[in-house]
Amino acid sequence: MTLVSSFVDLVQQLSPVMTAPTFDSFVTVLTGWVFARRRIVTRMILAADAVGEKHHSAFHRVFAAAPWSLDALGLLVLALILPWLGDAPIVVAIDDTLARKRGLKVYGAGMHYDPLISSRRKALTNWGHSWVVLGVIVRFPFCPARVFCLPILFRLYISKQTIAKRGGVYRTRPEWAVEMLQVLCAAHPDRSFHAVADSAYGGYSVLGRLPSHCDLTSRLDLDARLYEAPPPRKPGQQGRTRKRGRKLPTPKEMLEGRTKTLTLKLYGRHDRVRLTDAVGRTFAVPDRPLRIVAVNPITGQRGPQAFYSTKTEDSALDMLTRYAMRWSIEEANQNSKGHLGFEEPQGWTRRAVERTAPTAMLLHSLIILWFAKQGHALYRSPHAPWYLRKPRASFADMLATLRRESVREHVSAIAPSGKGCRKLIHLLLHTMQQAA
């Protein structure tokens, strides 16, 4: 089994980071990843019909031992994304996600917060890997009303308890996020970046260490202390120069004053809100001016919220629209787990752990890129009369299209002829569509 040639051509542009034999095995693994029901290396070999081509350990060594860099691979995926982005600042999303695991000897595994089994009253944990993910947010012409997040960089967060037991240097999730931003900005010093992240990545550890050509939009505490810029130093003034100016109202106090009433169209819904904004500086990072936006929804069930952006010239609506794009990385996490088996690989050594699961998310990005370039023209919406309308293809539809076109090209290469060959091809394609 092989993937459709147009997708292989796309993947071929990632070959510079690997040797030719390793890349050949890597393409075979990706082929099996697309078709396998369970994403472990041996099942991928079976799904790709590659049993006997090489010893099975050669495919395991792609992740466990081969000399290639995951960052370099992710930056090559970014190079495939850049033509779709134009000259505007590149918006990236940062988030963390849990990959549940079993086994005490799996490298980096520990107890982490599990949002799926937790409630607002009680936080519960689960055994697994906590991944910090950075993805590029992009719009494609085939679906201009929707934004997609294409993951490209990854870091494995290891808890303090695991570090204490097994040794190593502890680093927080925000520290890993800053490292990925530095890698990204160093690779493209001529481009501007704008990161969007939730409150976990909005504190001093990220805001105070941003690369020079990277901005940040994030959440702010409603009781955050805000200040004006410090007054200029007077001639002959003694003592140290002031770091902060006059204290400003907190976001909660801002909502008690004069506000504007707007209707926001975000997250696929229309909500009326009371909104106010101002420019201020936080206590922790007094040298960086921020655009502060406080929002109090009138409709819906959300409570008051506050946001900030380091790009002070932005309007409040621009800020909120950009922050809403962050949701696309949640969709990328879900699609990678639900359709590409992000949690399923069973490697337990350090290199295998740090490379295998992120490959699922890189494959997610490649599938969307292929669909945007060629797959959308081949997409056929399944005949389902109970759906009154389905305006756009889901990621499951993109994956099904890739599988169907791969089978179509493979069967067409055999050139079946004779009575009933059309029905046979239709049956094969329909079966592949339903299996997806």
Side-chain angles (χ1 to χ4, degrees), residues 249-411:
T250 66
K252 183 184 291 186
E253 293 169 344
M254 290 168 61
L255 289 171
E256 296 171 358
R258 298 185 62 181
T259 59
K260 297 179 289 186
T261 301
L262 297 174
T263 299
L264 300 179
K265 185 181 179 181
L266 301 173
Y267 303 106
R269 51 188 288 176
H270 294 75
D271 285 331
R272 286 178 58 78
V273 301
R274 291 173 52 242
L275 177 148
T276 182
D277 66 314
V279 175
R281 299 160 187 251
T282 62
F283 181 87
V285 191
D287 58 338
R288 186 134 200 183
L290 307 173
R291 170 68 62 181
I292 312 295
V293 177
V295 181
N296 189 10
I298 299 173
T299 60
Q301 298 180 349
R302 294 187 177 94
Q305 296 175 318
F307 305 86
Y308 74 81
S309 174
T310 56
K311 202 169 182 180
T312 55
E313 61 270 24
D314 278 355
S315 67
L317 185 58
D318 290 337
M319 267 186 58
L320 296 175
T321 302
R322 184 186 299 112
Y323 184 80
M325 293 179 181
R326 194 199 70 82
W327 185 252
S328 60
I329 196 171
E330 303 283 1
E331 294 179 330
N333 293 339
Q334 174 60 29
N335 289 332
S336 298
K337 293 177 183 180
H339 300 291
L340 294 176
F342 176 75
E343 298 177 301
E344 295 177 13
Q346 294 183 340
W348 59 274
T349 63
R350 177 170 183 171
R351 275 192 171 184
V353 166
E354 291 180 339
R355 290 170 167 180
T356 313
T359 301
M361 288 201 175
L362 290 175
L363 179 59
H364 170 273
S365 300
L366 291 170
I367 290 173
I368 294 178
L369 283 169
W370 172 81
F371 192 85
K373 188 175 181 179
Q374 291 169 317
H376 69 279
L378 306 171
Y379 169 62
R380 300 293 180 268
S381 179
H383 178 62
W386 47 89
Y387 287 131
L388 298 180
R389 56 176 186 151
K390 188 175 183 181
R392 62 195 185 194
S394 65
F395 179 76
D397 294 325
M398 299 179 192
L399 180 58
T401 302
L402 176 60
R403 288 170 172 168
R404 189 186 68 243
E405 292 305 314
S406 298
V407 171
R408 183 196 299 275
E409 186 175 270
H410 190 71
V411 172

Side-chain angles (χ1 to χ4, degrees), residues 39-308:
R39 272 61 176 219
I40 58 176
V41 174
T42 49
R43 293 295 180 92
M44 295 175 198
I45 301 170
L46 286 170
D49 195 20
V51 177
E53 290 184 5
K54 298 179 181 180
H55 193 274
H56 61 84
S57 62
F59 298 101
H60 286 279
R61 285 196 298 270
V62 171
F63 301 109
W68 58 274
S69 167
L70 184 64
D71 281 356
L73 189 65
L75 291 174
L76 283 178
V77 175
L78 173 61
L80 301 177
I81 302 172
L82 287 178
W84 300 96
L85 298 176
D87 298 326
I90 300 173
V91 181
V92 298
I94 300 172
D95 195 22
D96 53 83
T97 188
L98 176 66
R100 296 157 195 83
K101 294 290 178 181
R102 293 182 179 180
L104 297 177
K105 294 186 178 181
V106 178
Y107 173 81
M111 298 300 291
H112 301 284
Y113 172 73
D114 190 341
L116 292 186
I117 61 174
S118 300
S119 65
R120 292 185 179 182
R121 293 185 178 182
K122 189 169 184 178
L124 298 175
T125 58
N126 215 331
W127 183 261
H129 290 138
S130 179
W131 289 96
V132 184
V133 182
L134 184 149
V136 179
I137 295 177
V138 58
R139 293 183 189 272
F140 293 108
F142 79 90
C143 189
R146 180 182 177 186
V147 295
F148 295 87
C149 181
L150 308 184
I152 59 168
L153 294 176
F154 315 89
R155 291 294 184 272
L156 178 63
Y157 166 76
I158 304 178
S159 66
K160 283 185 178 180
Q161 294 82 358
T162 303
I163 290 291
K165 288 180 180 179
R166 303 189 178 182
V169 178
Y170 174 71
R171 301 188 67 177
T172 65
R173 293 183 181 91
E175 288 174 342
W176 284 127
V178 170
E179 181 177 291
M180 289 190 292
L181 287 174
Q182 291 171 344
V183 169
L184 185 64
C185 293
H188 296 275
D190 56 331
R191 296 298 300 262
S192 297
F193 296 89
H194 197 122
V196 290
D198 60 20
S199 56
Y201 302 93
Y204 168 77
S205 54
V206 176
L207 179 60
R209 296 179 173 85
L210 284 174
S212 59
H213 52 295
C214 182
D215 288 295
L216 175 66
T217 297
S218 186
R219 292 275 300 273
L220 188 66
D221 193 89
L222 287 170
D223 295 321
R225 292 175 290 175
L226 303 175
Y227 299 86
E228 289 183 344
R233 188 178 180 87
K234 297 179 181 179
Q237 178 180 341
Q238 296 182 352
R240 69 172 179 82
T241 303
R242 290 185 61 180
K243 292 185 177 181
R244 303 168 187 85
R246 183 175 62 89
K247 189 174 183 181
L248 297 173
T250 66
K252 183 184 291 186
E253 293 169 344
M254 290 168 61
L255 289 171
E256 296 171 358
R258 298 185 62 181
T259 59
K260 297 179 289 186
T261 301
L262 297 174
T263 299
L264 300 179
K265 185 181 179 181
L266 301 173
Y267 303 106
R269 51 188 288 176
H270 294 75
D271 285 331
R272 286 178 58 78
V273 301
R274 291 173 52 242
L275 177 148
T276 182
D277 66 314
V279 175
R281 299 160 187 251
T282 62
F283 181 87
V285 191
D287 58 338
R288 186 134 200 183
L290 307 173
R291 170 68 62 181
I292 312 295
V293 177
V295 181
N296 189 10
I298 299 173
T299 60
Q301 298 180 349
R302 294 187 177 94
Q305 296 175 318
F307 305 86
Y308 74 81

